[in-house]
Amino acid sequence: MNFAFDEQARRLRDELRGLLAEKVPDWWRGMFVDDVRAIPFTREMCALLAQHGWLTVAWPREYGGSGADVWQQTVVREEMWAHDEPRGPQYMNLNYIGPLIMRFGTPDQQGRFLPPMASGDVIWCQGFSEPDAGSDLASLRTRAVATDDGFVVSGQKIWTSYADAPADWCLLLARTEPDRPRHEGISVLLVDMATPGITVRPIDTMAGPHEFCEVFFDDVEVPPDCLLGPRGGGWEVIRTGLTFERVGIARYARATAILERLVELARQPGVDGRRPADDPAVRQQLADLRARCEAARLLSYRVVSMQAAGAVPTVEASIARLHNTDVEQLAGHIGLEVLGPAGLLTHDDPNAVLGGIVWRQWVRNIPTTVAAGTTEIQKNIVARGLGLPPPR
Ligand SMILES: Cc1cc2nc3c(=O)[nH]c(=O)nc-3n(C[C@H](O)[C@H](O)[C@H](O)COP(=O)(O)OP(=O)(O)OC[C@H]3O[C@@H](n4cnc5c(N)ncnc54)[C@H](O)[C@@H]3O)c2cc1C
């Protein structure tokens, strides 16, 4: 396998970096700090990326994409994550909700839902988890009862990121066939969040605003043309979607961006005149992080190349994901080692070092390993690939 980027991909990276240097404001710290400017900025950024043909660079032209290859898409993904994801919540549409509609949607659904995503006009959220259905997603209880006019949905979702952004649409998992075995009775619905009967309640956590919401569905009517894939066949749709989601986030790129800033800082003399880089332990740690970032990057590229060949690389995606969350956590740990207590200062403290980046990384160390399937669940998938029996 040759993972070298071609000339076109290198040019794209340079141009993208130029645009980001010009357009990403100094105050931008990602979506997870409380700043009312954040969502409007991400909307503007998505529209701008769309104008350049970069928002959905690898989508087919018929859906508003630029028809580029997956490596150019990888470049976009890396640069976005290295710059604290200026696409904000829309990364979900682009990484997996859009591709799922391409794979499982009817031509009408593709024509209706994909162009607004490609132009950066729409925010989607993902309604999977419930209070009693997280890792064991197949135990979900939200019901969608079939009627002459489509479905009527009742139930509750939780940890729904960005539902309060506000999201315009929700990729919702609901049980349509309660009498079928639990994996067979689930369907995917595309739900307009403006439909009467939907209530969104933000959940405050240290992870930051928009990260989590509860969403309640009280007799919400969903038309029949908003069923994605076969009725009762939602499990297959979702398994594919989660695989796309796991590789859609270039965590190694964010860890590498933090590493680069730590290296720069370690080379400068501190207040005591000494350079952190003269400490052999610091050098070892930074080198360790560099080696692991590289491994996570290459494992992610392997998954990208498998997807490009039309495969759904479940085990490989979980392996890449494990390494990616490891490097993100390590970036937080090593950042604190290098910066010492100063690394704990938040972005709004005038003495914050590196704009509070290490603190932000540290706070996100736990949620990083939970979203899109916990570390233990990824290991279960890898164990299944080894032919080991499933957990009891
Ligand atoms: C940042 C973030 C964003 C999220 N965004 C969304 C979103 O937009 N939409 C959405 O639907 N959900 C979202 N989630 C929810 C996420 O998908 C769930 O939190 C996750 O699936 C775990 O479910 P749970 O929290 O119910 O934990 P549980 O499933 O109850 O797990 C608790 C613990 O038990 C372990 N465990 C559970 N089952 C097993 C097993 N079989 N073998 C070994 N260990 C096991 C887990 O690893 C974990 O450590 C988000 C979560 C985070 C952290």
Side-chain angles (χ1 to χ4, degrees):
M1 280 180 256
N2 176 12
F3 294 140
F5 287 103
D6 65 12
E7 184 47 38
Q8 230 176 347
R10 278 198 293 272
R11 211 171 35 242
L12 170 63
R13 194 186 296 278
D14 288 345
E15 289 174 11
L16 200 49
R17 282 187 180 171
L19 181 88
L20 292 168
E22 189 189 330
K23 300 291 181 187
V24 176
D26 285 347
W27 55 262
W28 173 247
R29 302 276 183 269
M31 284 306 306
F32 312 113
V33 290
D34 213 348
D35 195 322
V36 291
R37 297 170 291 184
I39 289 278
F41 162 68
T42 64
R43 283 187 181 277
E44 281 166 28
M45 199 65 207
C46 285
L48 193 63
L49 290 166
Q51 280 165 25
H52 283 78
W54 294 336
L55 189 63
T56 49
V57 70
W59 285 19
R61 289 186 189 281
E62 63 198 285
Y63 303 135
S66 301
D69 66 22
V70 290
W71 297 105
Q72 292 187 50
Q73 185 178 345
T74 302
V75 166
V76 173
R77 186 181 287 158
E78 290 180 347
E79 292 307 314
M80 293 298 132
W81 280 83
H83 290 83
D84 287 317
E85 188 47 281
R87 296 172 303 181
Q90 293 196 42
Y91 79 89
M92 289 197 280
N93 315 349
L94 314 170
N95 282 350
Y96 67 96
I97 300 178
L100 276 186
I101 293 174
M102 273 179 230
R103 190 180 274 241
F104 294 100
T106 62
D108 278 353
Q109 288 173 335
Q110 291 163 348
R112 176 178 176 195
F113 293 113
L114 296 175
M117 290 185 193
S119 52
D121 287 340
V122 68
I123 292 178
W124 283 70
C125 63
Q126 168 196 309
F128 294 0
S129 306
E130 297 183 2
D132 293 318
S135 301
D136 185 17
L137 194 52
S139 62
L140 65 88
R141 292 209 291 244
T142 293
R143 289 279 303 274
V145 178
T147 65
D148 291 344
D149 303 319
F151 300 91
V152 174
V153 177
S154 318
Q156 184 197 343
K157 296 291 170 179
I158 195 167
W159 314 128
T160 320
S161 304
Y162 302 111
D164 65 333
D168 305 296
W169 287 86
C170 178
L171 183 79
L172 182 78
L173 271 190
R175 192 165 295 287
T176 42
E177 271 76 25
D179 303 331
R180 304 279 307 160
R182 54 191 212 131
H183 288 90
E184 293 173 21
I186 295 171
S187 300
V188 179
L189 297 174
L190 309 172
V191 180
D192 182 345
M193 290 294 282
T195 317
I198 299 179
T199 309
V200 174
R201 269 197 221 146
I203 305 172
D204 270 341
T205 71
M206 66 193 287
H210 306 297
E211 185 58 279
F212 296 126
C213 295
E214 293 176 291
V215 185
F216 299 88
F217 296 83
D218 293 309
D219 294 333
V220 173
E221 293 180 13
V222 178
D225 58 358
C226 285
L227 171 70
L228 181 68
R231 186 172 145 185
W235 196 250
E236 172 58 18
V237 178
I238 260 18
R239 264 168 31 108
T240 309
L242 285 172
T243 300
F244 290 155
E245 187 186 10
R246 278 169 197 148
V247 288
I249 301 182
R251 294 181 187 279
Y252 58 88
R254 186 153 66 188
T256 305
I258 294 172
L259 169 67
E260 284 167 2
R261 297 185 69 183
L262 289 173
V263 167
E264 210 178 294
L265 188 128
R267 293 160 65 148
Q268 310 299 326
V271 278
D272 56 2
R274 281 187 298 196
R275 299 181 306 175
D278 292 329
D279 179 343
V282 168
R283 283 210 314 278
Q284 289 284 314
Q285 285 175 320
L286 293 174
D288 187 29
L289 181 56
R290 166 83 173 87
R292 288 168 194 262
C293 284
E294 192 64 6
R297 185 171 72 88
L298 292 172
L299 286 165
S300 302
Y301 287 0
R302 178 170 68 148
V303 177
V304 169
S305 72
M306 291 174 74
Q307 280 180 335
V312 180
T314 316
V315 170
E316 292 79 2
S318 290
I319 292 173
R321 156 77 200 220
L322 284 167
H323 282 267
N324 269 286
T325 47
D326 271 0
V327 293
E328 272 219 296
Q329 291 199 325
L330 200 62
H333 285 299
I334 292 180
L336 277 191
E337 294 277 347
V338 174
L339 301 188
L344 290 171
L345 297 176
T346 56
H347 63 283
D348 44 7
D349 189 301
N351 298 314
V353 189
L354 302 181
I357 196 173
V358 166
W359 164 79
R360 275 200 315 285
Q361 189 62 34
W362 179 260
V363 164
R364 298 194 55 75
N365 268 0
I366 299 296
T368 293
T369 60
V370 175
T374 65
T375 294
E376 289 76 21
I377 295 306
Q378 308 307 326
K379 288 181 182 168
N380 282 344
I381 293 170
V382 177
R384 208 168 53 227
L386 287 171
L388 297 172
R392 288 165 184 251

